Each structure stands twice: as structure tokens, then as C-alpha cells.
Amino acid sequence: MAEADAGRSHGGKRILVVDDSSLVRLYYRAALEKAGFSVEQAINGIEGLEKTLTQAFDLVIVDVNMPRMDGIAFLRSLRSQADIAVAGLPALMISTESEREDMAAAAAAGANFYLVKPVSEADLVRHAALLAGVAQ
Amino acid sequence: MAERDTPEPSAIAPDEVQRFCEFLYRRTGMSFSESKRYFIDRRLNERIAATGSKSFQAYFSLLRADAEHEIEHLINSFTVNETYFYREDAQLRCLTSGMLDAIVSRKAPGEPIRIWSVPCSTGEEPYSIALWLMENWPQVDNFNIEIVGSDIDTKALKAAVEGIYGDRALMRLSPDIIARYFTRLDDGRYQIDEGLRESIEFSRINLIDTADMARQRDFDVVFCRNVLIYFDDASRRAAAENLYDCLRPGGYICLGHSESMSRISPLFRVCRFPDAIVYQKPEADHG
Amino acid sequence: MPLIKAGGKAADKPAKGDNSAGHLAGLTSAAADTRWSTARALAGRADAVPALAGALASEDSPRVREAIMTALMRVGNEASVKVMLPYLAADDAGLRAAAVEALQGIPEAVAPFMQALFADTDSDVRILATELARNMPEAEATRLLCALIENEQHPNVCAAAIDVLTEVGTKEAIPVLERCATRFAATPFVPFAVSVAIARISGTEA
């Protein structure tokens, strides 16, 4: 898909990337912006919550392991918000581990989909588009 | 803008600016979009010149080591440090549009509402809270309200007790409020109403000193704005634990608008009100 | 008058839980508030390290764990580091993260243990240990992280080390980073991370 086309089809969709690694955030941001999404970042679950409560997003992409508030606690907190626009936000969880209990915990906490690192640009963009409700 | 304030702006490579921005973001939560690039370059160049650093690398080393309180100087150069009445008023609005209603619903009859302004500097914030409540909270006469202002700087506290301010500090107040709560002095400055001055308790405190902080308890709301951003991780941790003990269960902390609890502590819950995000000490601790 | 002066009352009021302050027995109380206030009162007391270690091992409350870690961090000696290090391998992710944060705050006390941490057989421990170098002086952090990267087989550990180097690395790291990118050319994230790290480290000297 040409970049200009990607820009048109994903235009206006906002994604929040919650990950404690600056390089991972940058990697996701580069891939997602190239595909036409606009991207905001958060360094841990607390900042993720602060941002989802003050800005509108179409999708959150969240790491499992983070200091202060991890991805599971973040999702639980997100899903318990009274505002359904926040509580119902689609969430893509990403982890370095492929253990079954992580996936089960992610699902129980309310993740809509789960990817295991390393995540390719193509996989990231494809799942982001699906979950953010982009017409294919 | 004076010419001398602008050292050659071309000395820093874009990747170095990125490196700096990433550090600032991790450390404080402050982030700037590409459109602020000129602003960042300018401030960064000013700090490089002010510290006599020979290169960005040399400056960045100094900043990381926090030599000569450089983090404090840097944050000051990126933020507005003025203190004036009704500054960052979203949280004042939040106080009367949500926080106090939640607080009084848990109060026993006759129990006072306690609000703490720390650091209170020269008093603008605690007096603002008092004025705001009297002007905007319909239930203000139904409760006893205690407002405490504390600061580490005894000179600032002395000024707070005097309550004398220039025009600039009053710029956000309506002429009507100034007329009702202030007296114009012969030198053109304004002194806040004596009743107000006498109703607020001022005290000296060090946020990271646990023994000091143990003297302050049972607050319902703490305004702790634009101070924790300057602390290192260990001091933030100590201050957050101290503040936790100063609050009643269910009590709230308000931070400055460029501060984020994500850089400070996991002890508090993020709480959204229509006017602001504040942080709450859990009502019942199950763990 | 709705506004009333707080007066000196608050100043004379003893703090809640203070009756147990400093008494080690408080660490085993059934009440989380008592364990919390006891741990806080013991902050920085080297003689309390064994008791804090015992308390940490059986503590369920994340809030009290934080306070115990803070107390150990404020001691900041070899004994307190030794108490916290094993938690880098804890099953509980919250406990691992709390240990990283506390240890990050005392880089000088942690430095002698870095080599052993980087040789740990658990790659997750090595990943967390890279964060402990973040607050160390640039030259020392660069030396430690480069030694790790040179022999590291796990791309996620390299990625974590590169992340820290992006902030703290000196130009001595550049050849090591280049070799790492070549070794992990098949994992797209590693060459990406290396290119960002090298650009940030080189800056105007490139």
C-alpha cells in the first residue's frame, strides 16, 4: 500500500502507546505514523490512565511489564472507568513472554488482542488498523 | 528579546535535542511537539551557555549528574514560575464542582474540612483557595474549613502572613473581589483582609522530612503543585509516602499542570473530575 | 465565620501508628497500617535490615512493600542491596518493578553487583539489571553495558541495554553497538535501536 493511501485510510485515528522503553515507543510510533495514525506516548500505566482520561483515542497499545503500574493493572483500571468511551477503548497488549498465563491475565483484564515480541511493523499496523476500526 | 540572550542556536544536533527531550520526558513527564523545536533549542542553548559547558555532551553529563542543581535551573527555564492569585484555576474549579461534595459526603457532623497548600510560597495559593471557596462554594457557611499553608522558606512564610501583594499577583482577580477582600496601601500595593490573614495557619515544613511531616495530619485536600517535579526519585518517593500519611482516606492531591503522578508514586489513584485530574488516597486499603 | 484557624492542635497530635514506630514487632502486625508506619519509621536504619528483609519476604500489601523497599534504599549499604537483589527474579511483576526502582536509587551501592547480575542465567533478570545502570556515571554505565552486549545471546536483553545506552552511552559504545546490529540483523528491532542509539550518542561529533 502506498504511503499516501495509508495516510488517507487511517487518517484521524489516534493511538496511545504505553511502554516504558523509549526505543520501543519510537519504533511503534514510526511504524504507526508511516501508516497514517497519529500517536501519543505514555511511559507507564499511570501516565497511560492520565492520558486516556484527558484525551480521546481510538486504540491503546500497551506493554505488560512496566514500573509503577503495569499493563494488566492499567487495563483493569481502564475497564473500570465510569465513562464508557474510556472503559470501552480497544486495547492491544504486547509482551516479551509467550506464557499462557500472561495471555489469560491480559484477556481477563480486558485486552482485545495480544501480540508477543518481537512484533513486526506489518503485524503491528495490521492489528492496530483492525482494532482501531479502520475500514480495510 | 535581547540579542545576548540567544547564543548561536546551531550548535546542537537534532539527535542531541532528541536525546535531551527523551531525558526530560522520562524525568519529568514534560514533552514538546516538533512545533516547539525553536523554543527547546533556545532554552537549551541558554543553559549550555549559563553553565559554561563546552558542548551539548558536556552539558548533558552535568545535567544527568544534577551538578549544581542544574535540573532545577533547567525546569525553571522551561516553565513559568510566577505565583499569582487564581493560578492554574482548573483545580480550584474542581474543588467546588466535585472534590468537596465527595469529601463532605463522608464527613461526620461538625468535623472540619482541612485543606493544605504546600509549598505555599508567599501565600497566594492558600489565600486563593479561601477566596475561591467563599465566592464559589454554596455550602461554605455550613462547614468549618481549616486552610494551612506551609513552605520550607521562612522568608516566604513571613510574607505570606503579611499578605501584601503588587498588581501582578492580583491580575486574575476581578475588581469586585479586590475591593471586597483587599486594602490598598499608601505604596500602591494591596493587603489582604485581616480576617482572612488570621484564619489561615502558616507553618514551616520540609516535604521529605518524615518527622516534620508527622505534625501535619488529616487533610482532605493537598495542593502540592510545581515542587515534586524538581525532586530526584528518592526524594519524590519520600515526599509521596509522607503526603500519603498527611491525607485522610479518600483525600485528594492536586499536582501542578505540567506534573504527572506517573513520575512520582504508585500510592495514589488517578481520579477524573470534569475540571481536572487529581489523585486520591484509597478510601479503604485492602492490601 | 466558615474559615477557622487550624491552630496548634494538629501540631500536638501524635501521628497515627506512631506508638509502634521503631519497634521491629510492628513489622509483623496484622494491620497493614502498622506495618506501613513501622517500615517508614525504620527507613535508613542499618540495624533494621535483617528485620526488614524478613518482613519483605512475607509482605502481601504493595503499599507496605514500597515502604520496606524505601527503608532499605535509604540504608543504601551492601546488606540492603543484597536483600533486594533476589526480587529482580520474583514471580510477582509488581515486586520486580519495585525492586528495580529502589535499586536504581542507590547506584553506588549496586555497582559492585552489576557484573554478577549481567551473568545471571535468567534473561529477565539481565533485562531488569540494565535499568540499574541508568543512574550510574556515563563511563561506568557504558563499560558495564558494552561488556554485557558483547557476549549477550538474547536480543531482548541487548534491546534493553541499548535503550539505556541511548540515554547514558558515550562514544566508546559505538563499535559495540555496530557489532550488535550485525549479529541481530534478523531481529528488525535491534538494528533500529542501534541506529537511534548511535545517532543520539554521536550527535555533533558524527
Side-chain angles (χ1 to χ4, degrees), chain B residues 48-67:
Chain B
I48 289 172
T51 52
S53 305
K54 292 203 165 52
S55 63
F56 168 80
Q57 311 262 6
Y59 175 73
F60 193 61
S61 281
L62 186 128
L63 178 64
R64 279 195 67 245
D66 197 14

Side-chain angles (χ1 to χ4, degrees), chain B residues 6-284:
Chain B
T6 319
E8 319 109 68
S10 56
I12 317 169
D15 284 309
E16 289 175 329
V17 177
Q18 290 298 322
R19 189 181 197 183
F20 166 78
C21 286
E22 193 55 51
F23 172 80
L24 189 67
Y25 171 69
R26 181 178 70 75
R27 186 80 173 49
T28 69
M30 287 197 277
S31 68
F32 299 95
S33 64
E34 263 308 300
S35 60
K36 290 278 183 70
R37 180 61 205 276
Y38 174 77
F39 170 79
I40 296 166
D41 279 11
R42 192 179 146 79
R43 293 288 175 276
L44 199 45
N45 273 305
E46 279 169 12
R47 291 313 308 159
I48 289 172
T51 52
S53 305
K54 292 203 165 52
S55 63
F56 168 80
Q57 311 262 6
Y59 175 73
F60 193 61
S61 281
L62 186 128
L63 178 64
R64 279 195 67 245
D66 197 14
E68 289 156 52
H69 305 289
E70 181 51 27
I71 300 226
E72 183 178 342
H73 297 303
L74 177 78
I75 293 171
N76 281 341
S77 77
F78 274 86
T79 50
V80 181
N81 273 298
E82 272 185 303
T83 161
Y84 48 86
F85 281 82
Y86 285 8
R87 184 180 175 204
E88 293 182 18
D89 62 350
Q91 289 162 336
L92 293 174
R93 275 184 271 124
C94 183
L95 196 58
T96 46
S97 70
M99 270 193 273
L100 283 175
D101 292 337
I103 287 161
V104 298
S105 71
R106 296 190 291 262
K107 288 265 173 228
E111 211 187 329
I113 295 167
R114 284 171 51 79
I115 302 175
W116 194 15
S117 164
V118 57
C120 67
S121 184
T122 43
E124 289 87 340
E125 185 174 87
Y127 289 132
S128 290
I129 295 167
L131 290 179
W132 185 272
L133 293 184
M134 291 193 290
E135 291 296 305
N136 298 290
W137 196 41
Q139 295 207 68
V140 72
D141 288 317
N142 303 337
F143 292 91
N144 286 328
I145 303 167
E146 297 178 358
I147 299 174
V148 179
S150 302
D151 204 283
I152 196 165
D153 179 352
T154 49
K155 269 201 293 204
L157 285 169
K158 193 165 166 282
V161 170
E162 281 178 348
I164 298 172
Y165 303 96
D167 287 337
R168 258 196 97 67
L170 272 52
M171 65 190 175
R172 299 279 310 275
L173 299 179
S174 69
D176 167 57
I177 288 182
I178 295 173
R180 283 188 288 128
Y181 295 102
F182 292 83
T183 309
R184 201 187 151 105
L185 304 178
D186 292 340
D187 62 4
R189 294 184 301 160
Y190 296 83
Q191 184 165 34
I192 199 159
D193 174 77
E194 189 181 353
L196 268 171
R197 275 185 278 137
E198 288 180 351
S199 66
I200 293 176
E201 168 81 15
F202 287 101
S203 61
R204 187 192 174 278
I205 204 140
N206 179 352
L207 278 166
I208 59 173
D209 183 330
T210 303
D212 234 16
M213 293 284 280
R215 289 185 285 117
Q216 298 292 347
R217 284 294 184 265
D218 297 329
F219 285 102
D220 296 295
V221 183
V222 176
F223 284 78
C224 183
R225 305 196 292 188
N226 308 311
V227 65
L228 296 177
I229 197 168
Y230 293 102
F231 288 11
D232 64 20
D233 284 338
S235 302
R236 280 178 191 170
R237 204 176 160 114
E241 289 181 5
N242 287 336
L243 286 167
Y244 184 96
D245 280 343
C246 295
L247 279 167
R248 286 193 170 128
Y252 301 100
I253 291 190
C254 302
L255 298 176
H257 82 281
S258 53
E259 294 177 297
S260 164
M261 194 58 98
S262 59
R263 304 302 192 280
I264 298 168
S265 169
L267 289 171
F268 304 94
R269 253 205 300 261
V270 184
C271 236
R272 174 164 75 170
F273 285 99
D275 290 301
I277 294 281
V278 299
Y279 304 90
Q280 187 177 33
K281 172 174 173 172
E283 262 183 80

Side-chain angles (χ1 to χ4, degrees), chain C residues 106-177:
Chain C
I106 42 175
E108 283 156 36
V110 170
F113 298 92
M114 291 300 284
Q115 227 170 344
L117 285 170
F118 283 162
D120 199 288
T121 51
D122 183 345
S123 62
D124 287 334
V125 169
R126 300 200 297 282
I127 287 175
L128 292 177
T130 61
E131 274 301 318
L132 303 184
R134 203 181 275 279
N135 290 337
M136 292 181 182
E138 287 98 19
E140 186 180 11
T142 301
R143 187 179 53 75
L144 286 164
L145 291 165
C146 285
L148 168 71
I149 291 173
E150 287 281 52
N151 300 304
E152 180 59 54
Q153 296 307 309
H154 201 305
N156 291 340
V157 180
C158 287
I162 297 164
D163 197 284
V164 179
L165 281 173
T166 303
E167 179 176 324
V168 312
T170 61
K171 56 184 189 306
E172 283 72 24
I174 292 172
V176 176
L177 288 166

